[in-house]
C-alpha cells in the first residue's frame, strides 16, 4: 500500500513540474511584438489584422521568426 501512495505522489509532483514549466514558457518574453498601427492613412486594417494573426502564430511556435519576417515582408509589399 505504501508503494501506491509513493507512486501517486511522484506522479502528482511530475504533473506539477510540467505545469510550472508550461507557465514559465507562457510568461517568457516573446520575440518582437507585431508592428504598431500606423497613424491615419497608414496600413490597411486588414493588413494589420493579418500581421496580428502572424504574430500569434509565431508566439505560439507555429511559425519561426524567419517565417514570420518573410510573411510580414510580403504583406507590407517589401
Amino acid at each position: 500500500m505504501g508503494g501506491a501512495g509513493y507512486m501517486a505522489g511522484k506522479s502528482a509532483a511530475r504533473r506539477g513540474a510540467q505545469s510550472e514549466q508550461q507557465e514559465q514558457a507562457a510568461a517568457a518574453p516573446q520575440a518582437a511584438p507585431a508592428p504598431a498601427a500606423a497613424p491615419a492613412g497608414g496600413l490597411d486594417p486588414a493588413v494589420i489584422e493579418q500581421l496580428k494573426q502572424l504574430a500569434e502564430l509565431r508566439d505560439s511556435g507555429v511559425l519561426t521568426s524567419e517565417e514570420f519576417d518573410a510573411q510580414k515582408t510580403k504583406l507590407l509589399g517589401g
Side-chain angles (χ1 to χ4, degrees), residues 1 9 13 29 34-35 37-38 40-43 49-54 58 65 70:
M1 184 126 86
L43 294 176
E49 187 60 34
Q50 288 176 326
L51 287 170
K52 288 179 183 179
Q53 291 173 353
L54 286 171
R58 178 204 55 214
S65 292

Side-chain angles (χ1 to χ4, degrees), residues 10-70:
K10 187 173 180 180
S11 178
R14 187 178 320 119
R15 283 192 306 271
Q18 288 173 343
S19 176
E20 183 178 328
Q21 288 174 346
Q22 290 172 346
E23 288 174 13
Q24 288 175 349
Q30 302 296 324
L43 294 176
D44 179 347
V47 172
I48 293 171
E49 187 60 34
Q50 288 176 326
L51 287 170
K52 288 179 183 179
Q53 291 173 353
L54 286 171
E56 288 176 11
L57 291 171
R58 178 204 55 214
D59 295 345
S60 67
V62 174
L63 292 177
T64 65
S65 292
E66 293 79 18
E67 291 168 328
F68 169 80
D69 290 339

